[in-house]
């Protein structure tokens, strides 16, 4: 019998990265045994420590080696002794750009027994997904200083999008809504809209009143692609209004699609509403290539090595990775085991969970 095998590149990274990744791998090992597939893992030491030792973040050859894998599982990258920007651009953004991971998928879901700062929100009110474009925008690093260091200094950083980048992202978001409909019809729709046989709702987040070039392009592309998906209701909100609704009425969202910069900002806000960075997973996806799956939280250097970090975000990230690899029933199994585990945790905050990092990993594994 041929056993399904997936090749995973593991990058623990810095700070709490290796600790949370260890719990993710623990759960993955157990769930793969149970669901009869094999994960072949290979470790890579990219990160701040290696950079400080060697002076190199990541080379093009490193990227090429990673192309041979089915997915990359990453903890967090960043180091207090390295100037901001070097590791971000040299590793995280290099992976996203060079592997053309043009979708940054960030589900926002409030599970039972997870406390949210939103006073009246219940799990059924917070369940949507943000599709953040992941290769363009202010992130391309294109810009310049003029008269640097003088009183006349000017700094420019360009927001750049090609139609191609926008279109493939928007199309992915519509397709995702179509797939999501199978298990979650009518989310965010009123009774009247349900009556019109609509099956889901995609909100574009932009700023067409000020960014009259870039978000005009987004708006036109969104309208065009929407015509191919008449069954999906569309909506538009400026990014500042999105921030109001994420807090005030999250139930109006089913899916949100937006550019890289707005996506970065609104997903941190959204993460807080789902219980904080301890529970927020993400996937950097190239639908035709190698994806990189990482928790949203980063390295949290002050928590590193203490066994207090919350591994739930990483475990849910592992779940997203399995979904992407086609191991849907194993992914569902992880989600159910996480739900059970959350019921026993006192808090999602590091150090206040009532359990250590590895105890949480053990509990999820036992609950599979
Ligand atoms: C994220 C992070 C990164 C980003 C940083 C570390 C470059 O904030 O994944 O959201 O801005 O994309
Ligand atoms: Mn961010």
């Amino acid at each position: 019998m041929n056993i399904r095998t997936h090749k995973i590149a593991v990058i623990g990274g810095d700070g709490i990265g290796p600790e949370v990744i260890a719990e993710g791998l623990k759960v993955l090992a157990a769930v793969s045994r149970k669901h009869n597939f094999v994960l072949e893992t290979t470790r890579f030491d990219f990160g701040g420590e290696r950079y400080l030792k060697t002076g190199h973040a990541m080379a093009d050859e490193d990227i090429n080696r990673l192309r041979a894998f089915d997915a990359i599982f990453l903890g967090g990258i960043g180091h207090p002794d390295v100037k901001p920007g070097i590791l971000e651009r040299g590793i995280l953004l290099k992976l996203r750009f060079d592997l053309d991971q043009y979708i940054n998928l960030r589900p926002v879901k409030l599970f039972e027994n997870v406390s949210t700062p939103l006073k009246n929100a219940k799990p059924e009110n917070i369940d949507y997904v943000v599709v953040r474009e992941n290769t363009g925008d202010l992130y391309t690093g294109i810009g310049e200083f003029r008269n640097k260091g003088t009183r006349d200094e000017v700094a420019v950083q360009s927001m750049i999008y090609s139609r191609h980048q926008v279109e493939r992202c928007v199309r992915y978001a519509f397709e995702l809504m179509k797939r999501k409909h199978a298990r979650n019809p009518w989310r965010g729709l009123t009774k009247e809209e349900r009556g019109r046989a609509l099956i889901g709702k995609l909100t574009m987040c932009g700023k067409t009143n000020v960014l009259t070039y870039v978000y005009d392009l987004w708006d036109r592309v969104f309208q065009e692609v929407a015509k191919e998906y008449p069954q999906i209701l569309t909506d538009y909100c400026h990014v500042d209004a999105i921030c109001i609704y994420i807090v005030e009425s999250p139930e109006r969202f089913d899916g949100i699609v937006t550019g890289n910069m707005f996506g970065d900002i609104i997903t941190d806000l959204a993460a807080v509403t789902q219980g904080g960075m301890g529970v927020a997973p993400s996937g950097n996806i190239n639908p035709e290539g190698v994806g990189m799956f990482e928790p949203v939280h980063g390295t949290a250097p002050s928590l590193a090595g203490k066994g207090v970090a919350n591994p739930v975000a990483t475990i849910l990230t592992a779940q997203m990775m399995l979904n992407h690899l086609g191991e849907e029933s194993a992914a569902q199994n992880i989600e159910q085991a996480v739900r059970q585990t959350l019921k026993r945790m006192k808090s999602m905050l590091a150090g206040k969970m009532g359990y250590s990092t590895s105890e949480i990993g053990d509990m999820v594994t036992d609950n599979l």
Side-chain angles (χ1 to χ4, degrees):
M1 194 178 85
N2 256 347
I3 292 193
R4 294 188 307 285
T5 303
H6 307 288
K7 284 160 67 178
I8 310 294
V10 178
I11 305 174
D14 305 306
I16 59 169
E19 295 165 55
V20 290
I21 281 292
E23 301 317 307
L25 289 172
K26 189 190 277 176
V27 173
L28 283 168
V31 85
S32 61
R33 274 194 301 275
K34 199 174 153 199
H35 293 259
N36 299 313
F37 61 92
V38 173
L39 292 177
E40 241 175 59
T41 56
T42 307
R43 288 182 183 267
F44 292 87
D45 63 350
F46 305 118
E49 293 298 334
R50 181 178 180 271
Y51 175 78
L52 289 171
K53 253 185 265 156
T54 66
H56 300 292
M58 226 179 164
D60 292 342
E61 293 143 49
D62 296 323
I63 294 283
N64 284 333
R65 284 176 67 198
L66 293 172
R67 289 184 204 277
F69 289 84
D70 297 311
I72 302 165
F73 190 38
L74 184 144
I77 297 284
H79 197 290
D81 300 339
V82 181
K83 195 178 151 211
I86 293 180
L87 299 172
E88 290 84 346
R89 190 152 291 283
I91 301 179
L92 215 53
L93 299 181
K94 189 173 175 63
L95 281 164
R96 293 177 186 174
F97 285 12
D98 290 7
L99 296 174
D100 206 18
Q101 295 162 343
Y102 60 87
I103 299 298
N104 193 328
L105 199 58
R106 298 191 162 181
V108 185
K109 194 166 176 170
L110 177 65
F111 287 103
E112 290 295 340
N113 194 44
V114 171
S115 76
T116 167
L118 305 189
K119 214 161 130 203
N120 299 317
K122 297 185 183 59
E124 63 266 28
N125 302 134
I126 304 181
D127 183 4
Y128 56 95
V129 56
V130 179
V131 178
R132 165 186 173 190
E133 202 289 330
N134 213 27
T135 60
D137 208 330
L138 291 163
Y139 278 76
T140 50
I142 293 172
E144 62 174 321
F145 293 115
R146 287 183 205 161
N147 307 321
K148 189 172 179 188
T150 72
R151 291 174 61 96
D152 299 324
E153 178 161 359
V154 177
V156 181
Q157 193 117 26
S158 305
M159 182 176 263
I160 299 185
Y161 264 117
S162 68
R163 172 177 279 267
H164 168 69
Q165 283 175 309
V166 176
E167 189 176 333
R168 65 185 182 174
C169 174
V170 165
R171 197 173 291 280
Y172 180 93
F174 275 105
E175 284 295 324
L176 183 70
M177 289 299 106
K178 227 166 99 178
R179 289 205 300 276
K180 197 179 166 205
H181 144 72
R183 66 171 174 78
N184 196 9
W186 299 339
R187 179 127 198 108
L189 300 186
T190 64
K191 251 202 184 123
E192 188 263 328
E193 288 157 351
R194 291 173 188 197
R196 282 155 50 200
L198 294 162
I199 60 165
K201 176 175 169 186
L202 184 61
T203 303
M204 189 184 117
C205 161
K207 188 74 184 171
T208 51
N209 51 350
V210 174
L211 302 175
T212 49
Y213 298 107
V214 166
Y215 277 98
D216 185 77
L217 173 63
W218 271 82
D219 196 39
R220 281 180 284 123
V221 171
F222 185 71
Q223 305 291 342
E224 273 169 40
V225 177
K227 290 198 189 109
E228 297 169 36
Y229 298 89
Q231 68 279 50
I232 293 165
L233 184 70
T234 56
D235 194 9
Y236 171 84
C237 292
H238 294 321
V239 61
D240 41 358
I242 287 267
C243 292
I244 297 176
Y245 300 138
I246 282 177
V247 172
E248 210 176 66
S249 46
E251 65 281 356
R252 68 183 283 149
F253 297 125
D254 180 14
I256 299 176
V257 64
T258 191
N260 208 344
M261 189 76 256
F262 294 162
D264 177 48
I265 299 166
I266 67 170
T267 53
D268 268 22
L269 177 62
V272 170
T273 67
Q274 75 183 122
M277 303 312 271
V279 291
S282 87
N284 299 269
I285 294 171
N286 173 343
E288 300 89 38
V290 188
M292 185 255 285
F293 295 80
E294 54 169 342
V296 180
H297 53 55
T299 57
S302 64
L303 304 176
K306 298 183 179 154
V308 296
N310 188 345
V312 167
T314 303
I315 294 169
L316 290 172
T317 296
Q319 180 209 353
M320 287 182 79
M321 181 168 77
L322 290 187
N323 256 325
H324 187 69
L325 294 170
E327 298 293 349
E328 279 100 0
S329 57
Q332 269 170 25
N333 196 177
I334 292 183
E335 178 165 330
Q336 160 271 319
V338 166
R339 283 180 190 279
Q340 298 302 314
T341 307
L342 292 173
K343 285 189 190 145
R344 292 171 54 194
M345 290 173 67
K346 293 201 178 72
S347 162
M348 294 304 123
L349 298 177
K352 306 207 165 122
M353 305 181 294
Y355 299 93
S356 69
T357 307
S358 71
E359 282 169 339
I360 306 273
D362 291 340
M363 281 158 67
V364 175
T365 306
D366 291 343
N367 286 331
L368 283 170

